[in-house]
Amino acid sequence: MRDPLTIEDVLASRLISWPLHLLDCCLVTDAGGAVVVTSAERARDCPKRPVYVLGAGEASTHVMVSQMPDFARWEAARMAGERAFAMAGVTYADVDVAQVYDAFTIVPIMALEALGFCKEGEGGAFVAGQRTAPGGDFPMNTNGGGLSYTHSGMYGMFTLVEAVRQLRGECGPRQVAGARIALCHGLGGMFSAAATLIAGTEVP
């Protein structure tokens, strides 16, 4: 998806399951991705500049969505984010680019709230005004995300691939200038599980 999408375009698209319209839902595509994980010592000899895992966290709170402890709070995402930030020793202000799973338009908004980038209920305002669009002051899902790039059923892989490309400076016209720290966030089940990874260009 390369053409601009307006709010009117989204609302005019076919209703899939209220309140989600066709353009609120991720693309269905065939795709594949891979990452190679090795020690920092061995990575020094690789032909491409290494990207380092600074922190990671994961959590699971329930199995079925009917068992979700609180529909208004995504606890698994909050816990995963807290663990990743604590391990990495960085704060939200240090994140240069965010790659957040976006099967539906509401998911990244819920994730940003749960991860602490904004307060609960303020996610919509946080991303408003083209903040996450190319050139915006909060670069997010710079490859287009699952909504505009690809969603092969395991989009979490592509958050990692795009983060690495951004931190290596390999993204051409979509490159975030000076990107040093990237956040990747994904979910599983019906908001039952979440995982957060923070990567950087240097080991602290």
Side-chain angles (χ1 to χ4, degrees), residues 56-59 75-85 115 185 194-196:
E58 59 183 326
E75 280 299 298
R78 182 189 61 76
M79 291 186 287
E82 285 178 355
R83 292 168 183 164
F85 276 107
L115 291 169
H185 181 78
T196 306

Side-chain angles (χ1 to χ4, degrees), residues 176-187:
V176 174
R180 294 177 51 252
I181 295 180
L183 174 138
C184 301
H185 181 78
L187 79 152

Side-chain angles (χ1 to χ4, degrees), residues 60-69 74 76 188-193:
S60 181
T61 56
H62 58 281
V63 177
M64 301 299 293
V65 71
S66 60
Q67 299 169 335
M68 192 169 180
W74 188 5
M190 299 297 175
F191 298 102
S192 60

Side-chain angles (χ1 to χ4, degrees), residues 34-138:
V35 295
V36 176
V37 180
T38 188
S39 67
E41 181 180 334
R42 187 166 183 190
R44 288 192 203 102
D45 297 326
C46 291
K48 289 195 174 187
R49 187 172 65 161
V51 168
Y52 302 97
V53 175
L54 306 181
E58 59 183 326
S60 181
T61 56
H62 58 281
V63 177
M64 301 299 293
V65 71
S66 60
Q67 299 169 335
M68 192 169 180
D70 183 346
F71 286 109
R73 299 189 77 207
W74 188 5
E75 280 299 298
R78 182 189 61 76
M79 291 186 287
E82 285 178 355
R83 292 168 183 164
F85 276 107
M87 183 184 292
V90 300
T91 69
Y92 311 105
D94 297 316
V95 174
D96 299 307
V97 60
Q99 309 299 334
V100 182
Y101 183 86
D102 61 343
F104 304 97
T105 47
I106 187 64
V107 177
I109 292 172
M110 292 177 66
L112 291 171
E113 292 178 4
L115 291 169
F117 284 98
C118 56
K119 294 180 180 176
E120 290 179 18
E122 296 181 1
F126 183 84
V127 300
Q130 301 294 304
R131 244 189 123 194
T132 64
D137 67 358
F138 188 79

